[in-house]
Amino acid sequence: MTLPITNRRVRLVRGLVLLLVLAALAACDRGGGPDLPGGSKTLTSADGALQLRVPASWSEQTDLNPAAALQAADLDDEAYAVLIEDPREPFKSMDLGKFADTEMQKLVTRVGLANLTGPELVEVDGNQAVQYQIKGFHNEVEVVYLYTFVETPDRFLKVVTWSLADRFDDNRPVLEEVTTSVRQLKPLDASPTPSGADPGVAPPPAATVDPNQIDRGGGL
């Protein structure tokens, strides 16, 4: 039997509403964050100002970078991330491009640089950002970094994600999702210590390298 046009429209509207509800529930299950395989979890900085969302399999770390507000890793997959903040006040004469350029000049003097690409314009938490891809060596271990600079009203943020070079292509989608997951929850209350000549992040030890021969806190 053919349904009246009015009834068909009602069923169509109800179907669309159901689809929208299901989509909303799926977004809630992901916590509103990046669509990461296996689910995700949110890490919040000690002052409650910054958040980073990472896969559920990652763990919070403390020794990747002494200047980091947040740091996490998947030690099995050799995937890593740190979030470093600088208050705008000491750099008030710089825009994002100048800040990123200055930081990159310091960085390339400390890395056995094999390849540098960028900058590429990206967006993080609604803020303008620039991203570089860096392939380099530390203690003869080849590593690839995504180094992203973000400008907020009161901070410059540096989001650094990386992996061993032979795993980077596999890990890149997750590293990119982690990078763009950064959120600033509140304005700067008290100025954090500027990272200055940021000691940066050291690459993780490769499975075939003696961890005692690699300084995990003094690389980039």
Side-chain angles (χ1 to χ4, degrees):
M1 179 179 65
T2 302
L3 292 171
I5 292 177
T6 301
N7 288 344
R8 279 185 283 169
R9 285 178 178 172
V10 169
R11 290 195 174 187
L12 177 61
V13 170
R14 287 177 178 172
L16 290 174
V17 170
L18 178 59
L19 288 175
L20 291 173
V21 170
L22 291 174
L25 289 174
C28 290
D29 286 344
R30 293 195 299 269
D35 186 10
L36 296 167
S40 60
K41 60 185 177 185
T42 300
L43 307 179
T44 304
S45 60
D47 62 0
L50 299 171
Q51 282 188 342
L52 183 70
R53 202 161 185 85
V54 299
S57 59
W58 286 38
S59 58
E60 195 161 6
Q61 302 293 309
T62 59
D63 62 346
L64 299 178
N65 188 302
L70 288 167
Q71 47 190 311
D74 185 327
L75 300 178
D76 292 331
D77 280 347
E78 304 282 7
Y80 302 79
V82 300
L83 173 59
I84 302 167
E85 61 177 327
D86 282 294
R88 286 292 303 272
E89 183 61 27
F91 306 99
K92 58 185 178 183
S93 64
M94 295 186 182
D95 59 13
L96 176 63
K98 179 63 175 177
F99 180 80
D101 184 63
T102 300
E103 292 293 307
M104 289 302 296
Q105 287 184 33
K106 292 188 294 186
L107 179 65
V108 297
T109 64
R110 301 196 302 270
V111 180
L113 192 63
N115 182 264
L116 170 65
T117 59
E120 176 184 351
L121 291 176
V122 295
E123 186 177 292
V124 177
D125 195 20
N127 297 302
Q128 185 178 12
V130 292
Q131 184 178 90
Y132 295 82
Q133 179 178 313
I134 305 162
K135 179 182 287 188
F137 294 88
H138 181 74
N139 287 357
E140 300 182 357
V141 178
E142 189 175 29
V143 181
V144 181
Y145 301 86
L146 291 178
Y147 215 108
T148 307
F149 300 91
V150 187
E151 181 179 18
T152 80
D154 55 7
R155 293 172 169 92
F156 283 118
L157 301 176
K158 288 175 280 190
V159 192
V160 190
T161 60
W162 75 99
S163 182
L164 295 181
D166 60 359
R167 298 195 183 187
F168 179 76
D169 287 343
D170 290 338
N171 286 328
R172 178 164 191 157
V174 169
L175 299 181
E176 290 178 338
E177 291 282 10
V178 170
T179 296
T180 57
S181 77
V182 171
R183 298 290 180 267
Q184 178 173 318
L185 303 180
K186 62 181 182 179
L188 197 63
D189 292 328
S191 297
T193 303
S195 61
D198 167 29
V201 292
T208 57
V209 177
D210 181 357
N212 295 323
Q213 296 177 350
I214 296 181
D215 177 10
R216 298 180 71 194
L220 292 182

